[in-house]
Amino acid sequence: MIFLLKKKTVNLFVTGIFFVGLSIGTYSFALHPNMNKWKNEQIVVTEVKTDRKAVALTFDDGPDPTNTPVLLDILKKHNVPATFFVTGIHSQEYPALVQRMALEDHEIGNHSYSHPDFNHKSNKFILNEIRKTNKIIYKLTGKQPVFFRPPGGYLSFDMVDLIRKEEMIIAYWTYQQDSKDWANTSASRIADHVIKNIKPGQIIILHDGCPNGLQTAKAVDTIIAKLSIQGYEFLTLSDLIKSADK
Ligand code: ZN
């Protein structure tokens, strides 16, 4: 009986955490007190206003020695450029993959050095994560990254100030285009989510650096094929922003 009660309490507790987590996630994404101001200032980007049927495919957490080459082959087959948010650690581990991304005209963004939880971390720590990764990417590609995507989408006033001073832009993603592809989701479910929610100017978030990355790569093959038929084109994030309505 005691055991049963305990189990029930634990379940309630876990459910509670889940809903709190969900609401915080939604809150920080859509209703951050400063989100709209930051978007207007173009220091944070979540989508681009355009009538042109153009979107950006973005991939986080790589490069990964298994998933990334498969994904790069698929992008090459379709002649589609994407934007990769790489971590410094993985870039050091697999430099040839970062070089291949650059050679094949993909854009490379900064996704921190070690993918930490930035909550309660000092500005010095955060700045070090950003600068160290910029240096690694520059050394491998000869290009300075423009975009920073904070791990887990962490945002704070301090972080925005830091990014502003580094003359970078925080690349978020379009809320409707988070298929949670990393969560052991099948390729067809990932593709269905993206295709069903597609609208011009969206920034689609996917993950090549997660264990489910081969499903993601397979989904990308379908996404590009089906959306191309609908008249969509795929641009790097920089080019998508340049294509925005003036
Ligand atoms: Zn990440």
Side-chain angles (χ1 to χ4, degrees):
M1 187 62 187
I2 291 169
F3 171 73
L4 278 177
L5 267 175
K6 270 191 179 160
K7 199 175 166 198
K8 206 174 173 188
T9 315
V10 168
N11 279 343
L12 278 171
F13 183 64
V14 170
T15 313
I17 288 178
F18 176 72
F19 282 112
V20 168
L22 250 187
S23 53
I24 288 173
T26 313
Y27 177 82
S28 65
F29 189 92
L31 297 169
H32 190 289
N34 244 41
M35 191 59 150
N36 280 340
K37 184 171 177 278
W38 289 332
K39 278 164 72 172
N40 287 338
E41 292 169 356
Q42 293 177 338
I43 185 71
V44 178
V45 57
T46 62
E47 68 214 306
V48 164
K49 240 187 145 188
T50 177
D51 287 335
R52 192 167 151 189
K53 276 187 161 181
V55 291
L57 291 170
T58 69
F59 300 98
D60 289 9
D61 303 337
D64 175 274
T66 308
N67 309 333
T68 310
V70 175
L71 175 61
L72 283 168
D73 287 347
I74 288 166
L75 293 169
K76 196 176 189 175
K77 181 179 90 179
H78 292 282
N79 197 20
V80 156
T83 305
F84 287 88
F85 288 94
V86 298
T87 65
I89 283 187
H90 290 153
S91 301
Q92 278 178 332
E93 244 175 305
Y94 311 108
L97 285 173
V98 178
Q99 287 167 326
R100 181 177 166 195
M101 289 169 187
L103 272 174
E104 295 179 0
D105 294 326
H106 301 296
E107 180 161 24
I108 297 164
N110 182 330
H111 194 39
S112 82
Y113 182 73
S114 61
H115 208 279
D117 178 0
F118 279 152
N119 209 6
H120 304 304
K121 292 285 194 305
S122 69
N123 286 351
K124 199 178 155 198
F125 177 90
I126 295 174
L127 194 57
N128 185 46
E129 285 271 328
I130 295 166
R131 286 191 175 161
K132 205 169 161 182
T133 305
N134 275 352
K135 262 187 209 155
I136 294 164
I137 295 171
Y138 183 78
K139 214 174 138 193
L140 289 171
T141 67
K143 280 187 191 154
Q144 196 68 35
V146 177
F147 300 108
F148 176 67
R149 177 170 282 166
Y154 175 80
L155 265 186
S156 71
F157 288 96
D158 277 2
M159 157 146 319
V160 170
D161 284 345
L162 283 181
I163 292 296
R164 223 190 283 273
K165 281 184 196 137
E166 293 302 292
E167 298 182 336
M168 295 178 79
I169 294 169
I170 296 179
Y172 242 68
W173 55 91
T174 307
Y175 181 67
Q176 292 79 1
Q177 281 299 356
D178 184 0
S179 60
K180 307 264 185 288
D181 63 314
W182 46 268
N184 216 8
T185 313
S186 70
S188 60
R189 283 187 67 168
I190 299 166
D192 285 351
H193 181 101
V194 171
I195 293 163
K196 192 177 75 197
N197 291 292
I198 201 74
K199 286 208 174 89
Q202 288 179 331
I203 300 168
I204 298 161
I205 184 170
L206 294 162
H207 298 77
D208 61 324
C210 289
N212 202 42
L214 285 177
Q215 291 301 310
T216 296
K218 210 173 146 195
V220 167
D221 201 13
T222 311
I223 290 165
I224 296 173
K226 292 202 173 164
L227 290 182
S228 297
I229 294 169
Q230 291 185 29
Y232 274 92
E233 53 179 334
F234 300 88
L235 305 175
T236 61
L237 193 47
S238 283
D239 284 342
L240 183 69
I241 289 172
K242 275 184 214 150
S243 81
D245 295 339
K246 296 285 181 296

